[in-house]
Amino acid sequence: MSKETPQVTSLEEMKAQSMPIVELPGWNDEDSIFVRMRKVSLLHLISSGQLPNELLAIAHKITSSEEGFNPIREGTPEELAEFNKLLHLMAQKSLVEPTYDEIVEHVGPLTDNQLSAIFVFCTAGVRALKNFRSRLALIEAIGDNSEDVQLPTE
């Protein structure tokens, strides 16, 4: 039995892999949108000077907490404002087709769910985004006031 020798991945293949078409929540509960995205690394944004200093603290807090830090539920009003800016920055840097600016100009602002999904994609990838969509659908089905309801595990 002969094994095939692995071939070097071409730059075109790498480019295609680096910008997948990703499903995001739409503007209403029933719809989805499909966009071409690039994963954006917070570390790259920091090292390249693209992450403003004012967002360094919230980026560090989100990524360094072992239990996970949710600025929406656990943060101060200032942290929530910083997190909102971080979500928009991640959307601006990750949306390839259409771009963030094109969406805002032609459709309007992205929703909280869309921004959150983009952040999940950038920080955890497509698999985590699928889990996010499943969890989002379940939360919408049972209502927003379901803090004490345990979600099913995979």
Side-chain angles (χ1 to χ4, degrees):
M1 182 156 98
S2 69
K3 286 188 172 184
E4 284 190 38
T5 305
Q7 298 296 311
V8 173
T9 305
S10 73
L11 290 175
E12 281 303 311
E13 289 177 63
M14 288 182 202
K15 184 178 177 181
Q17 289 176 14
S18 73
M19 295 184 290
I21 295 175
V22 177
E23 181 180 8
L24 296 177
W27 275 265
N28 60 49
D29 295 340
E30 299 86 36
D31 294 332
S32 295
I33 61 171
F34 294 87
V35 296
R36 185 171 303 279
M37 293 181 61
R38 155 181 305 141
K39 280 183 84 168
V40 175
S41 160
L42 280 173
L43 293 177
H44 174 73
L45 292 177
I46 292 167
S47 66
S48 64
Q50 296 179 61
L51 187 72
N53 286 338
E54 69 183 77
L55 301 182
L56 285 173
I58 194 70
H60 179 263
K61 196 166 186 176
I62 290 168
T63 57
S64 65
S65 174
E66 287 183 23
E67 295 82 37
F69 173 70
N70 183 336
I72 295 171
R73 291 193 180 145
E74 303 162 11
T76 65
E78 293 80 17
E79 288 172 329
L80 182 57
E82 290 171 359
F83 183 61
N84 180 54
K85 290 177 186 176
L86 181 61
L87 290 176
H88 283 274
L89 178 67
M90 296 293 280
Q92 289 169 342
K93 299 295 183 184
S94 65
L95 286 164
V96 175
E97 183 184 352
T99 66
Y100 174 88
D101 291 334
E102 289 170 337
I103 293 171
V104 170
E105 180 182 335
H106 296 285
V107 182
L110 293 169
T111 67
D112 294 344
N113 287 340
Q114 290 165 334
L115 290 167
S116 296
I118 290 168
F119 187 78
V120 167
F121 169 78
C122 288
T123 57
V126 173
R127 275 192 217 125
L129 186 55
K130 288 178 184 175
N131 292 337
F132 171 82
R133 284 194 305 268
S134 298
R135 181 180 166 102
L136 183 61
L138 183 58
I139 289 170
E140 288 172 352
I142 59 180
D144 287 337
N145 58 353
S146 57
E147 291 178 13
D148 297 328
V149 176
Q150 185 172 0
L151 297 173
T153 58
E154 289 189 40

